[in-house]
Every structure is written in structure tokens, then in C-alpha cells.
Amino acid sequence: MLLNIIKKELLDNTISLRFLVLIFLTITLIPLSLYVNFRKYETRVSDYNQAVRLHHEEWIQRDFMELFNQRFAVKGYRKPKPLSVFINGLETHMPSGFKVDTGGMIFENTNSLEETKLSLLGNLDFLFIIQIIYSLLAILFTFDAISGEKESGTLRLSLSNSAPRYYHIFGKYIASMLLLIIPLLIALLAGIIMLIALGFPLIEIEMVYRLMLMSITASMIISVFICLGLFISSRSKSSKTSIVILISLWVILILIIPQSSEILAKIVKPVRSQEVFRLEKMMLRRNSDITKGHELYELRQKQDIEREKLEQGSDKNDTVFKKHLSQINTLRAEHVAKLKSVLNAIENDYQNEKQQQYSIANILASLSPLTPFNNIMNNLSVTGSEARETFEIAAKSYQKMLDKELFDKIHRDIMPDGSVNLGIGGKVDHKSIPQFQDTAPTLKQTLRTITLDSLLLALYMILTFAFAYVSFLRYDVR
């Protein structure tokens, strides 16, 4: 009996205009978005390879004195992620690279400069198609699934047979899922075949697993909106009332809650901008150089007095000189250690403030099932917050290595008269320093990251189905 109900629902919907619209949009938009995004990915990869090559050639040709005089900075670049072809995520908003010199590290984003005005309207990718188009289609397929049949009188007739009432809600749910998921998977498979023919690097088994998990996640969010449509349809007396309520809920869940959460988080937990924070660190470095210069000036005056007391040509001259040099190096090392400690402390405080603001925004945005869905999909495609954090951690680790091997050996002292003394303490071989290597989170790391969001999305799916199920069992068909 359940199969008969499913067949009836499939037949009724496959001959409808909305199913033709679904097929047209699916077979058109998914392959088209994959093709366009693949060409963009190829351009980003080409730019990345060229930037890495040119910087390496320049790095080999440059003289250390150019680094010493801050005319040249060490750079690192973030490698474009292949799955950005499916989900753009934060790919064009994340740093495309960074540069490090004696003044610290600055993240750069050349990708954002290349975006056109059309990018302001949003990126057409797999994520956009699911969260906007398919969520809306799920509502259009289910808004009259129950209330519409009540209006036409077919619902009372269907429930008059011997089949349990819950068979009907299960049949409508399964049929709606099949109608939406099967065309989606077929179009996605066709798009993947097209990408492989164009040269897309779908060779790693981890990438295949990520695509499979993305498909499952897409099915979950479609299920949420199908159940939401069934629930509202079973609570409405007419299909007109049902569609008005569902469209209103769609606007709230898709547009209002995710967008307003970030604004509210900035009001609740304001955090200074990255540029302001960078200027604060520059001021700390300058104040440290000024303080160090004053202390060095006073130390050298004392050393001059001590040397004047020694006899000309005394055997103690070499010993005193070595002692004075050691005192100067010790003072500089103390200031470097103190400055690093202060910079690390304020960096940790700043990152904690940003994390708190992000947590508040994420909690508020999680009132919509779209938020855990977005988090999961972006992290699975390696274009989400996890990928950005991984890159920033790798960049800061590389900076520490550069400081130890290179920049900590360059001292800059601002003397009381305003003059600047530059010098080198120790042997430096800048050409032996390896280039930065970008890394990506592993699938195991990603699974740990998306665990909470996956549970939350599963909870939304269970709750919406439970509401639809209970509501239909209590629905008055008269």
C-alpha cells in the first residue's frame, strides 16, 4: 500500500509544470555552474603557480641587504582548493597570501580585487543552487500536498481505505525526496563527468568522500524544507494560506536570520578591525625600538667611561670589549623576548575576541537550519572557516621560523636623537630558507570540525519530520 501511495504522488507531480521547471533548472544550472567555476579555478591555479615561481626567482636573485633595508619581504601563497569548483565558500574572501618582514606579517587578498560587480549578486555554485533554488522548490512541491488535497476532496477519499494514516505522510515525504534528489544526483554526476573530461583533478579518494558527504548533506537540508512544507500544509486550511506562510518562513530562515546574526554579534561583542590591530602592533614595535635605543645609549655612555679608565694598550681592552659587546647583545635579546611576549599576548587576546564574536554570530544564525548546512558544506569543500584557520596557523608558524632564522638577527635601534641604527647579529643565509608550503585540513580533521553542525542539522531534520508526522495524524480532513 505504501508503494502505491508513493507511485501516485510521483505520477501526480511528474506531470506537473513545477517538475518541468525543476528538471530545466537542474540540468541547466548545475553543469553550467561547475563549468564556469572550473574555468575560474584554472585561472586561480595559474596565477598561484606564476606568483610562487616569480617570488622564488626574485628571492634567489635578491641580496640580503634589500631584506635588511626592508625593500623586500618574504611572501607565501595560499593554494586554490579544487572543490571550490563545487562550492566557492570563502575562497575569494580568504587571504590569497601573506608577506613577512621585520615589521611583522600582513595577510593579503588579491582575489577580492579581481571580482566583478556581478559577484556582488552572489556566486552561482552548488551551494547556492541547494540553499536557494532547491529549498524553494521543496516548498513549492509540498505547500499543497495536504491542504490542496483537502480542498479537492481527494484526501478524505485516500484516507477512507484500509491503509494506516501514517502511510500517507511517509508516502508524500518519500515521493517528494525522490522527485528532488534523483534529478539533482543525475545532474551532479553529469557535471562531474564533464569536469573530468575538462581535466579536473578528481583523483584523490578523499575528494570523492568529500563529494559523497556533500551530497548527503544536500539531501538533509532538502529533507528539512520538504518536512517544513508538509508540516505547514497539514496545519493550513487552504493551499493559499500554506504558500504565504511557507514563503514568509523561507525568507526568515534563508535571508533574515543568517544576515542579521552577524550584525547583532558585532553589537553585542564589538572587535576592532584587522587594520587597527596591525597599527597597534606597529606602534608597540616602534615604542620598543625607542626604549631599546635609550637604554643602549645609556649603556654605551657607561661603557665609554669604563674604557676611558683603562690604560692605552692594556691587555684588559679585548676582555672589556667582549664584555661590552655581550652586554649590548643581551640587552637587545631581552627587548626582542619582551616584545614577542607582549605581541603574542595581545594577538591571543585579539583572536579570542574574534572567536567570541564568531561564536555569538554562529549561535544566533543556528536558529536557521541553513547555518549548520553552510558550515558543513564549506568545510567539506575546504573553503570554510577551518581552511582559513589552517592557512593562518601555517602562515604564523612560517613567520616564527623566519623570525628565528632571519628577522630576529636584524636589530633596529631608535636613538634619543631620532637617528636609527640598523645592524645584523649573527650569520644569515636567507637563500637556504625554504619556501612556504600551503597545507589543507585532512578529512579526519574536517569530520571533527563538522560533528556539531551535523548533529544540529540532523536534529532539524528529525524535528521537522516529527512535526509534520504528528500534525498530519491529527489533521481534520473534513
Side-chain angles (χ1 to χ4, degrees):
M1 184 61 70
L2 178 61
L3 288 177
N4 290 333
I5 295 173
I6 295 174
K7 289 178 182 177
K8 172 185 171 297
E9 293 293 330
L10 289 174
L11 181 62
D12 289 343
N13 282 284
T14 50
I15 60 176
S16 65
L17 177 61
R18 53 191 168 189
F19 184 72
L20 295 177
V21 172
L22 164 67
I23 295 298
F24 173 77
L25 291 176
T26 303
I27 64 176
T28 303
L29 293 181
I30 290 181
L32 176 63
S33 67
L34 293 178
Y35 177 80
V36 171
N37 288 326
F38 176 67
R39 293 307 184 193
K40 290 181 180 179
Y41 167 74
E42 283 186 318
T43 302
R44 289 198 299 269
V45 170
S46 176
D47 292 343
Y48 166 80
N49 291 332
Q50 187 175 10
V52 170
R53 179 181 59 81
L54 291 175
H55 180 66
H56 179 67
E57 292 176 358
E58 192 176 17
W59 175 247
I60 296 299
Q61 296 172 3
R62 291 280 184 168
D63 187 80
F64 173 73
M65 291 307 297
E66 292 180 276
L67 275 169
F68 177 73
N69 292 318
Q70 292 185 318
R71 296 176 187 166
F72 183 68
V74 185
K75 293 184 179 181
Y77 299 92
R78 185 179 59 83
K79 190 174 183 180
K81 302 301 182 286
L83 289 178
S84 63
V85 172
F86 294 84
I87 298 176
N88 191 63
L90 301 174
E91 183 70 13
T92 56
H93 300 284
M94 284 193 280
S96 56
F98 62 88
K99 63 179 181 181
V100 185
D101 55 22
T102 54
M105 180 170 63
I106 299 176
F107 287 104
E108 300 177 318
N109 187 5
T110 56
N111 291 329
S112 61
L113 300 176
E114 298 172 0
E115 291 186 356
T116 65
K117 292 181 179 179
L118 293 177
S119 300
L120 298 174
L121 302 176
N123 292 293
L124 181 62
D125 58 7
F126 185 65
L127 182 65
F128 177 85
I129 292 171
I130 298 299
Q131 70 181 11
I132 301 296
I133 298 175
Y134 259 76
S135 64
L136 188 56
L137 285 172
I139 287 174
L140 295 178
F141 267 83
T142 55
F143 80 93
D144 61 347
I146 298 170
S147 58
E149 287 193 3
K150 178 184 177 180
E151 289 176 318
S152 63
T154 57
L155 183 60
R156 180 185 295 183
L157 183 62
S158 298
L159 294 178
S160 65
N161 58 39
S162 59
R165 178 176 278 212
Y166 64 84
Y167 270 23
H168 293 272
I169 190 67
F170 273 111
K172 292 178 183 295
Y173 170 76
I174 294 171
S176 299
M177 286 292 292
L178 291 174
L179 285 167
L180 290 169
I181 298 300
I182 291 178
L184 175 66
L185 294 179
I186 293 174
L188 184 60
L189 181 60
I192 292 174
I193 294 173
M194 177 196 67
L195 289 178
I196 294 174
L198 292 172
F200 182 72
L202 190 65
I203 54 176
E204 297 180 6
I205 189 65
E206 180 177 302
M207 196 180 298
V208 176
Y209 289 150
R210 287 179 180 270
L211 283 173
M212 291 173 60
L213 291 172
M214 287 161 58
S215 300
I216 294 172
T217 307
S219 301
M220 292 174 70
I221 195 67
I222 291 172
S223 172
V224 169
F225 280 95
I226 286 175
C227 292
L228 185 63
L230 293 173
F231 170 64
I232 297 301
S233 183
S234 65
R235 301 297 298 175
S236 305
K237 295 181 179 180
S238 68
S239 55
K240 291 181 180 179
T241 304
S242 176
I243 191 63
V244 170
I245 295 174
L246 282 169
I247 292 296
S248 300
L249 282 174
W250 184 85
V251 171
I252 293 171
L253 294 176
I254 299 294
L255 302 176
I256 295 178
I257 292 178
Q259 295 295 331
S260 61
S261 61
E262 185 177 356
I263 298 172
L264 291 173
K266 289 181 179 180
I267 295 173
V268 175
K269 183 65 179 179
V271 178
R272 57 196 183 280
S273 68
Q274 184 73 32
E275 181 63 21
V276 171
F277 179 64
R278 187 179 70 85
L279 292 174
E280 288 178 1
K281 291 196 293 184
M282 288 178 60
M283 289 301 299
L284 283 172
R285 290 179 184 276
R286 177 174 175 78
N287 292 336
S288 176
D289 291 340
I290 292 173
T291 303
K292 180 176 57 174
H294 280 77
E295 293 182 9
L296 281 172
Y297 178 77
E298 293 174 359
L299 177 61
R300 283 170 177 165
Q301 283 187 323
K302 293 179 182 178
Q303 291 175 347
D304 290 341
I305 294 172
E306 185 176 351
R307 282 195 296 269
E308 287 177 0
K309 293 180 180 179
L310 294 176
E311 297 180 4
Q312 189 73 18
S314 171
D315 294 337
K316 294 182 179 181
N317 279 338
D318 289 341
T319 303
V320 170
F321 176 78
K322 291 179 181 179
K323 184 184 77 171
H324 288 174
L325 183 61
S326 175
Q327 290 174 341
I328 292 173
N329 290 335
T330 300
L331 189 148
R332 285 180 174 144
E334 288 175 352
H335 274 274
V336 169
K338 184 177 179 182
L339 178 61
K340 278 189 174 182
S341 177
V342 173
L343 290 177
N344 287 336
I346 66 170
E347 177 73 29
N348 291 335
D349 290 342
Y350 179 68
Q351 294 301 328
N352 288 335
E353 289 176 4
K354 286 180 64 178
Q355 184 59 41
Q356 289 173 12
Q357 186 186 76
Y358 172 76
S359 298
I360 293 171
N362 199 49
I363 290 172
L364 294 173
S366 294
L367 295 173
S368 166
L370 190 68
T371 299
F373 168 71
N374 270 324
N375 291 341
I376 295 169
M377 297 291 273
N378 285 326
N379 285 323
L380 283 174
S381 63
V382 201
T383 59
S385 58
E386 181 193 32
R388 179 172 57 191
E389 290 172 5
T390 301
F391 174 72
E392 290 178 355
I393 290 171
K396 289 173 183 176
S397 177
Y398 187 68
Q399 180 193 17
K400 289 181 180 178
M401 186 271 292
L402 288 174
D403 286 341
K404 181 180 178 181
E405 299 295 330
L406 185 63
F407 294 118
D408 284 352
K409 297 178 182 180
I410 301 174
H411 57 258
R412 180 173 179 267
D413 311 324
I414 301 178
M415 307 309 291
D417 60 358
S419 61
V420 178
N421 291 335
L422 294 174
I424 306 171
K427 186 178 179 181
V428 176
D429 182 14
H430 72 287
K431 294 183 180 180
S432 65
I433 296 175
Q435 282 189 290
F436 173 76
Q437 297 294 326
D438 186 22
T439 57
T442 63
L443 180 59
K444 187 176 181 180
Q445 291 172 326
T446 300
L447 291 176
R448 285 199 298 266
T449 302
I450 66 174
T451 297
L452 186 59
D453 287 309
S454 300
L455 293 174
L456 184 58
L457 184 58
L459 179 62
Y460 273 116
M461 190 172 70
I462 293 170
L463 287 176
T464 50
F465 181 80
F467 289 154
Y469 178 81
V470 173
S471 182
F472 181 73
L473 292 183
R474 298 179 178 180
Y475 191 62
D476 185 4
V477 299
R478 293 173 298 173

